[in-house]
């Protein structure tokens, strides 16, 4: 029996990076997984790759996570395809480098739409489906930037900090409702995924990763599976008494 056996999961932003790693790990532990992404071809390719290892356990859909109606459609399609929904991983997100003076209102709103509004929509519309399936787990991917601020991440800091507190509100609502749904957040530090490309720009990737790693007590940036293991724990029944909490996958940086 896998750690996610007989569970159905929806993972957003699953075409690459953290979302792909999370979807692969959940499927490898027995879950059936719907992968969604605004990059529909990438999500389909990743689902096909998963199905090569675990036949017929993955499917994909196009999803713009800022679109309220699409959330309703994707959740309904997931339940229709797999018969239930037990796990939602709100992973889709974008970054933005800019201080409070440099950031534009347009980009501020876009970052909050993708990184925060999508989590609100996912939680809001998934709760009835998860409750109808007997309960389960919502895992929201925040960031260590939602706990530790930086001078040049005004929009990203704000959105990710809000995801942390929203997760706690959702957890308390679900506990009060008695629907057997838990909600927690995960807070990674620098992870070697495409979202770092915006920070790296035209610089040498290896050198930038080494520089970022020197800021982390463990001396390196993380790997996608480092985050996926935390999600797996929160998605599984092993964490049945954990809600309204957070896991910092940060190599010790928040302990400094």
């Amino acid at each position: 029996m896998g750690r996610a056996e007989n569970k159905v999961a929806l993972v957003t932003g699953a075409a690459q990076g953290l979302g792909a790693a999370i979807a692969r790990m959940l499927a490898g532990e027995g879950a059936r997984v719907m992968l969604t992404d605004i990059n529909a071809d990438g999500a389909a390719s990743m689902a096909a790759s998963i199905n090569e290892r675990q036949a017929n356990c993955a499917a994909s859909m196009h999803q713009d996570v800022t679109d309220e109606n699409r959330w309703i459609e994707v959740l309904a399609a997931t339940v229709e395809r797999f018969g239930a929904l037990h796990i939602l991983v709100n992973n889709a997100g974008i970054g933005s480098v800019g201080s409070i003076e440099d950031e534009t209102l347009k980009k501020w709103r876009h970052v909050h739409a993708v990184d925060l509004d999508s989590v609100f929509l996912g939680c809001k519309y998934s709760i009835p489906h998860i409750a109808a399936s007997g309960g389960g787990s919502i895992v929201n991917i925040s960031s260590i930037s939602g706990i530790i601020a930086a001078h040049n991440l005004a929009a990203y800091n704000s959105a990710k900090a809000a995801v942390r507190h929203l997760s706690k509100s959702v957890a308390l609502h679900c506990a009060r409702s008695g629907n057997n749904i838990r909600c927690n957040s995960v807070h990674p530090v620098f992870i070697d995924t495409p979202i770092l490309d915006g920070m790296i720009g035209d610089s040498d990737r290896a050198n930038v990763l080494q520089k970022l790693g020197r800021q982390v007590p463990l001396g390196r940036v993380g790997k996608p599976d480092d985050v996926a293991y935390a999600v797996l724990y929160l998605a599984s029944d092993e964490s049945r008494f954990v809600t309204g909490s957070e896991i910092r996958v940060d190599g010790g940086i928040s302990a400094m």
Side-chain angles (χ1 to χ4, degrees), residues 7-252:
K7 296 187 183 298
V8 176
L10 168 62
V11 182
T12 68
Q16 60 184 1
L18 292 184
I22 291 165
R24 280 196 305 266
M25 188 166 289
L26 290 173
E29 292 291 336
R32 289 167 292 167
V33 185
M34 178 66 77
L35 293 79
T36 75
D37 204 290
I38 200 165
N39 175 5
D41 291 342
S45 177
M46 188 55 58
S49 175
I50 291 171
N51 283 329
E52 288 178 1
R53 296 186 179 187
Q54 293 93 24
N56 301 316
C57 75
S60 69
M61 294 184 69
H62 172 268
Q63 185 181 15
D64 175 351
V65 292
T66 69
D67 185 331
E68 182 175 13
N69 289 331
R70 189 56 174 164
W71 265 110
I72 296 170
E73 294 167 354
V74 164
L75 287 162
T78 300
V79 172
E80 181 178 358
R81 173 68 179 264
F82 294 120
L85 179 67
H86 307 99
I87 300 163
L88 170 66
V89 183
N90 278 310
N91 166 76
I94 59 173
S96 178
V97 177
S99 70
I100 189 63
E101 291 189 281
D102 295 334
E103 191 62 275
T104 66
L105 180 58
K106 181 179 180 180
K107 189 62 179 289
W108 169 274
R109 287 175 171 165
H110 184 51
V111 169
H112 282 77
V114 176
D115 291 1
L116 176 59
D117 294 355
S118 69
V119 177
F120 163 77
L121 293 169
C123 292
K124 177 179 177 66
Y125 289 113
S126 70
I127 286 173
H129 292 292
I130 299 175
S133 302
S137 177
I138 297 172
V139 184
N140 296 326
I141 305 301
S142 178
S143 169
I144 202 62
S145 294
I147 298 173
I148 300 173
H151 73 281
N152 61 343
L153 297 175
Y156 191 67
N157 282 153
S158 173
K160 290 300 188 178
V163 168
R164 175 177 181 257
H165 226 57
L166 174 61
S167 300
K168 297 178 187 298
S169 180
V170 172
L172 293 174
H173 164 73
C174 289
R176 187 180 182 89
S177 300
N179 57 22
N180 196 32
I181 299 173
R182 298 173 293 104
C183 183
N184 298 281
S185 57
V186 177
H187 298 258
V189 74
F190 312 117
I191 306 294
D192 190 2
T193 66
I195 200 170
L196 285 183
D197 292 343
M199 299 175 62
I200 292 172
D202 296 329
S203 303
D204 180 77
R205 186 178 183 85
N207 288 338
V208 172
L209 292 180
Q210 287 181 359
K211 182 178 179 180
L212 292 174
R214 287 195 291 271
Q215 300 178 44
V216 180
L218 288 182
R220 63 175 178 84
V221 300
K223 299 295 185 182
D225 276 356
D226 296 329
V227 179
Y229 277 116
V231 174
L232 175 62
Y233 167 69
L234 292 174
S236 75
D237 293 337
E238 297 163 11
S239 60
R240 61 185 178 271
F241 200 56
V242 179
T243 195
S245 188
E246 64 214 28
I247 295 183
R248 304 181 186 198
V249 187
D250 69 353

